[in-house]
Amino acid sequence: MKKTIQMMLALFATAVLLAGCALPRSESATLYDLGPLRPPAAAPALPAMSVADVAAPGWLDRPLMFYRLNYQDDQQPRAYAHSRWIMPPAQMIAQRVKARIAQAGGAVLPASDGALNLPLLRIEADDFIQVFDAPGRSVGRVALRASLFKGRVLVAQKSFVGEAPAPSADAGGGARALAAASDAAIAEMMQWLASLK
């Protein structure tokens, strides 16, 4: 009798597990991106270049949306539970940079094409986070480092930091702030690249 009950419980547990696997899972996370690409106020003319994938630390190589409570513990990045980027921030930044170069009349080729006659732009994302300095008050902060190479020779390197206030103290506000901060840092990068011609 005891064995029969155990077998029935095991079969019931297996049936519940299989039924759970068969049911479609609802997507509970709200997804964000950097928004539509708007024409810049003034776009400097840029030459053709190869653009490498944006390098980022492991925590930025995932679609999690991070924030930091500086007023409570500035050494603890936290992730929003029900909000995600549509793709990792490094990929969104790479997409935005390539689009801005194309808007400025430059041709953009992937680094994998190996065009030896074109300069190569490498970008590292050091920071991409919503920072709360007080409850209810935050900014989006983006830090990028760009290096321009001709062949194996480093032509120039510069860091860019963009910061923008969040319109609300939530993931949606953070997404808007980080989009504005990204665009500000990238616009500064475009000016720098134009000055290197």
Side-chain angles (χ1 to χ4, degrees):
M1 177 88 172
K2 191 175 180 182
K3 272 189 166 184
T4 307
I5 292 174
Q6 286 177 337
M7 276 183 53
M8 289 178 66
L9 286 174
L11 285 172
F12 178 75
T14 303
V16 168
L17 184 63
L18 289 174
C21 292
L23 293 175
R25 293 189 179 150
S26 63
E27 184 63 46
S28 61
T30 303
L31 298 177
Y32 293 94
D33 63 12
L34 296 180
L37 186 69
R38 293 178 177 83
L46 291 173
M49 66 182 69
S50 293
V51 179
D53 291 338
V54 173
W59 68 277
L60 280 179
D61 206 20
R62 301 178 289 167
L64 297 175
M65 293 184 75
F66 285 98
Y67 65 95
R68 189 183 304 273
L69 303 177
N70 274 1
Y71 62 89
Q72 187 174 346
D73 185 355
D74 63 357
Q75 291 188 307
Q76 186 181 17
R78 304 159 194 247
Y80 282 104
H82 300 290
S83 299
R84 299 280 183 272
W85 293 111
I86 201 161
M87 64 181 77
Q91 290 179 21
M92 291 191 300
I93 291 167
Q95 210 175 43
R96 200 68 145 201
V97 166
K98 290 173 185 177
R100 287 292 183 212
I101 291 170
Q103 273 186 338
V108 182
L109 296 174
S112 58
D113 285 352
L116 298 176
N117 61 330
L118 294 180
L120 172 66
L121 178 64
R122 292 192 182 277
I123 300 168
E124 293 174 68
D126 293 323
D127 210 2
F128 192 90
I129 195 165
Q130 182 181 9
V131 179
F132 286 84
D133 292 323
R137 190 178 73 228
S138 67
V139 296
R141 188 169 294 146
V142 176
L144 306 173
R145 185 172 48 260
S147 305
L148 190 67
F149 291 87
K150 283 195 179 168
R152 298 180 74 80
V153 177
L154 176 65
V155 175
Q157 184 179 75
K158 188 170 179 181
S159 293
F160 304 92
V161 176
E163 197 171 281
S168 58
D170 56 9
R176 288 190 181 283
L178 284 162
S182 296
D183 283 343
I186 292 169
E188 196 180 331
M189 188 187 301
M190 296 302 107
Q191 295 288 341
W192 173 71
L193 286 170
S195 74
L196 297 175
K197 288 192 289 186

